[in-house]
Amino acid sequence: MRNSPLILIVDDDPGFLEIVSTKMKRNGFLVAEAHDGKEAIEKAVNLKPDLILMDVNMPNENGTEAVIDILENPETKNIKVAFLTNQSEPWPAFKGKEIKGEAAEVAKELGAVDFFNKTDDIDKTTERVKEILKK
């Protein structure tokens, strides 16, 4: 059993990944990183993180597809996932699902617990992450 929650941060931008990882570590979280949706799915299965922060627009498998795959897999379906992206909407791909609405509503309809924009204040995002992990 882990002493601190494990957060899997998924982003194809190494600079942004480093910033978010450093911030989460400084707030007492364990951190794992993935650089695309395919790697995120593999790490979700192997690591069983407490929370995944998922970018949307990435190579191989985008974040929306990866979230759907993670939440439909019996091994990973109970992992909390939140989008962390510059996209205003988390739906460049839906695997046939037609979903419309505000970003936070769409994220929740996909099974995510929240939707953060990369331009949000990182301290506020960190506080919301803490709240998510208390639930």
Side-chain angles (χ1 to χ4, degrees):
M1 180 140 195
R2 297 186 279 258
N3 292 332
S4 298
L6 173 62
I7 300 174
L8 174 59
I9 304 169
V10 187
D11 200 299
D12 62 330
D13 178 342
F16 185 76
L17 192 59
E18 182 179 350
I19 290 167
V20 177
S21 293
T22 300
K23 186 66 174 179
M24 294 302 157
K25 287 175 187 174
R26 286 185 179 161
N27 278 274
F29 298 111
L30 300 172
V31 172
E33 298 175 354
H35 300 91
D36 60 47
K38 184 178 178 194
E39 184 182 4
I41 293 166
E42 292 169 6
K43 288 194 174 184
V45 169
N46 294 325
L47 299 175
K48 306 287 189 295
D50 299 288
L51 175 65
I52 299 172
L53 296 177
M54 181 76 71
D55 188 19
V56 171
N57 195 13
M58 296 180 293
N60 294 324
E61 184 162 355
N62 71 47
T64 306
E65 292 172 324
V67 167
I68 291 168
D69 287 346
I70 288 166
L71 297 177
E72 288 181 349
N73 181 336
E75 290 185 68
T76 55
K77 69 180 182 179
N78 294 320
I79 296 173
K80 294 176 183 177
V81 181
F83 288 103
L84 177 61
T85 183
N86 273 333
Q87 300 284 113
S88 60
E89 304 168 342
W91 50 86
F94 280 118
K95 292 190 172 185
K97 296 183 180 192
E98 184 171 330
I99 301 174
K100 297 180 180 177
E102 295 297 317
E105 292 171 11
V106 171
K108 288 189 173 146
E109 192 165 336
L110 289 171
V113 294
D114 213 331
F115 184 95
F116 305 110
N117 196 295
K118 287 182 178 180
T119 59
D120 291 348
D121 180 275
I122 190 72
D123 291 322
K124 288 181 182 177
T125 299
T126 303
E127 289 306 311
R128 285 171 61 191
V129 164
K130 289 178 184 177
E131 289 173 23
I132 289 168
L133 290 170
K134 286 181 184 176
K135 296 178 185 176

